[in-house]
Amino acid sequence: MTAETSPLPLKARLAAWRYAFLTTNPPEQGVVDGVTRWLVVTRAGVLPMTLTSGLMAVLLAAVSDARVDWLNVTLAVVGIVVAHLANNLMNDLADTEVGNDTADYPRALYAPHPILAGLVTKRQLIAGILLCQVVDLAIMVTLVVRQDWWIVAFAVGGLFLSYAYTAPPLRLKKVGLGELDVLLTWGPLMVGGVYYAGTGTLPWQVLAAATVYALLPTTVLMAKHIDKLPYDGPAGTRTFPVLIGERAAKRLTQAMMVAFYVGVAVLVAVGALPWPALLVLFAVPMLVKVVRAFDKPVPDEPPADNPVWPLWWAPIAFLHTRRAGGLLILGLLGWAVWLAVRS
């Protein structure tokens, strides 16, 4: 267990929060306060992928011809972020309950496990899950009143996929369906749900763009499961990389990364995305480095600049996803500002 230290100056606290957010680990001095503790417990460092989904939907709505309810889209973005936090907590609880998360499993090695490391009790973890669910329930009810009952389909669908990812009886991760779960969640459900909440419509262009973006978060999960191959296979956790083998999993992950850029280009060519979305091409040099990295073996020793060891491929894929996703948002934002100024 990492004990909280004496109160720190604000600057030091902000530095601790930043480190915890970027690495999902507490800083060198340990858990300095409650904020640091819950940033680590909720694995808040992976939230950029969800924020990108939400902002993508907001900006696609902004550049569309549809009438946008800005309060609705704001609530919807908050809803998917809170849902992601709940998902992380539920996964840790479920994996601990079924005996998947142990002291020598990667989840407890790349960052302190909420329960196993003593950061929170099981009761506190459940309380955190319930709080997130209550917030999301309030948002869902508000959006149903302000929009229509289709909001329930998005909310319940997201909750189902979130729960079924690790929890019995389905445990989609264990039967090679976790990757498909992520593709659907970070794409059509998140982007499509936020867009629908704000406009009451869901054109094919939005669903196509959402699916193309969702390739990136899926590469992060693929990479993470490649990292866990030595643990998952013997334990009977048949993730997709376990089913197809390490070599095929790496090739598929590389292909999905490349497919994101091809997909954006195609969507721009057919008019489903505005041309500034091509700003993502500035991430191609990083793509080349990442693709080449996937052809090399894992280092024998943990590098000094890798705080999430034994994960190796996952942080590489995550940094690429953050760069490419950020450029996509920047391109859409630029187009939205241009349309607003011109009108």
Side-chain angles (χ1 to χ4, degrees), residues 238-299:
R238 301 178 66 78
T239 62
F240 198 62
V242 169
L243 293 177
I244 65 176
E246 179 176 350
R247 180 178 175 82
K250 285 183 177 180
R251 296 295 174 266
L252 177 59
T253 304
Q254 292 168 318
M256 291 171 70
M257 292 176 181
V258 174
F260 165 75
Y261 296 89
V262 174
V264 170
V266 169
L267 290 177
V268 169
V270 300
L273 282 175
W275 67 265
L278 293 176
L279 196 64
V280 299
L281 295 179
F282 281 100
V284 167
M286 186 176 188
L287 167 70
V288 173
K289 293 180 181 179
V290 170
V291 168
R292 288 176 177 172
F294 268 75
D295 288 329
K296 298 177 181 178
V298 177

Side-chain angles (χ1 to χ4, degrees), residues 111-172:
H113 190 282
I115 298 176
L116 300 180
L119 291 178
V120 294
T121 64
K122 179 181 175 181
R123 180 175 295 181
Q124 288 173 318
L125 195 65
I126 293 174
I129 294 170
L130 291 177
L131 176 61
C132 290
Q133 301 297 3
V134 168
V135 171
D136 271 344
L137 177 61
I139 290 174
M140 183 191 75
V141 171
T142 302
L143 291 177
V144 166
V145 172
R146 294 178 57 85
Q147 188 58 263
D148 58 44
W149 281 95
W150 278 108
I151 296 297
V152 176
F154 288 103
V156 173
L159 178 61
F160 169 77
L161 289 177
S162 178
Y163 180 81
Y165 180 77
T166 54
L170 295 179
R171 299 191 67 191
L172 298 178

Side-chain angles (χ1 to χ4, degrees), residues 29-319:
Q29 64 268 45
V31 176
V32 300
D33 58 13
V35 174
T36 310
R37 179 182 299 276
W38 282 98
L39 284 173
V40 173
V41 168
T42 59
R43 285 180 279 165
V46 295
L47 287 180
M49 295 188 297
T50 296
L51 286 171
T52 300
S53 288
L55 292 176
M56 182 179 178
V58 171
L59 293 170
L60 288 175
V63 301
S64 72
D65 296 327
R67 182 176 177 275
V68 183
D69 186 317
W70 295 110
L71 176 57
N72 280 10
V73 291
T74 301
L75 289 173
V77 171
V78 172
I80 63 172
V81 170
V82 173
H84 190 175
L85 295 176
N87 172 76
N88 289 345
L89 297 177
M90 286 192 297
N91 287 349
D92 283 337
L93 178 63
D95 278 338
T96 304
E97 290 288 294
V98 299
N100 186 74
D101 282 356
T102 59
D104 57 354
Y105 188 70
R107 174 63 188 94
L109 299 176
Y110 72 76
H113 190 282
I115 298 176
L116 300 180
L119 291 178
V120 294
T121 64
K122 179 181 175 181
R123 180 175 295 181
Q124 288 173 318
L125 195 65
I126 293 174
I129 294 170
L130 291 177
L131 176 61
C132 290
Q133 301 297 3
V134 168
V135 171
D136 271 344
L137 177 61
I139 290 174
M140 183 191 75
V141 171
T142 302
L143 291 177
V144 166
V145 172
R146 294 178 57 85
Q147 188 58 263
D148 58 44
W149 281 95
W150 278 108
I151 296 297
V152 176
F154 288 103
V156 173
L159 178 61
F160 169 77
L161 289 177
S162 178
Y163 180 81
Y165 180 77
T166 54
L170 295 179
R171 299 191 67 191
L172 298 178
K173 178 180 75 170
K174 194 171 182 178
V175 294
L177 293 175
E179 293 76 12
L180 178 60
D181 185 319
V182 166
L183 184 72
L184 292 173
T185 300
W186 266 261
L189 270 178
M190 284 191 179
V191 180
V194 172
Y195 188 95
Y196 185 85
T199 67
T201 63
L202 191 54
W204 71 266
Q205 293 92 334
V206 172
L207 288 175
T211 304
V212 167
Y213 166 69
L215 290 170
L216 293 179
T218 307
T219 64
V220 177
L221 184 66
M222 284 286 295
K224 189 175 182 180
H225 286 167
I226 293 171
D227 283 324
K228 293 181 176 182
L229 279 172
Y231 304 85
D232 285 339
T237 301
R238 301 178 66 78
T239 62
F240 198 62
V242 169
L243 293 177
I244 65 176
E246 179 176 350
R247 180 178 175 82
K250 285 183 177 180
R251 296 295 174 266
L252 177 59
T253 304
Q254 292 168 318
M256 291 171 70
M257 292 176 181
V258 174
F260 165 75
Y261 296 89
V262 174
V264 170
V266 169
L267 290 177
V268 169
V270 300
L273 282 175
W275 67 265
L278 293 176
L279 196 64
V280 299
L281 295 179
F282 281 100
V284 167
M286 186 176 188
L287 167 70
V288 173
K289 293 180 181 179
V290 170
V291 168
R292 288 176 177 172
F294 268 75
D295 288 329
K296 298 177 181 178
V298 177
D300 294 327
E301 299 292 333
D305 59 349
N306 185 347
V308 293
W309 187 267
L311 299 185
W312 174 250
W313 307 115
I316 293 174
F318 177 76
L319 291 175

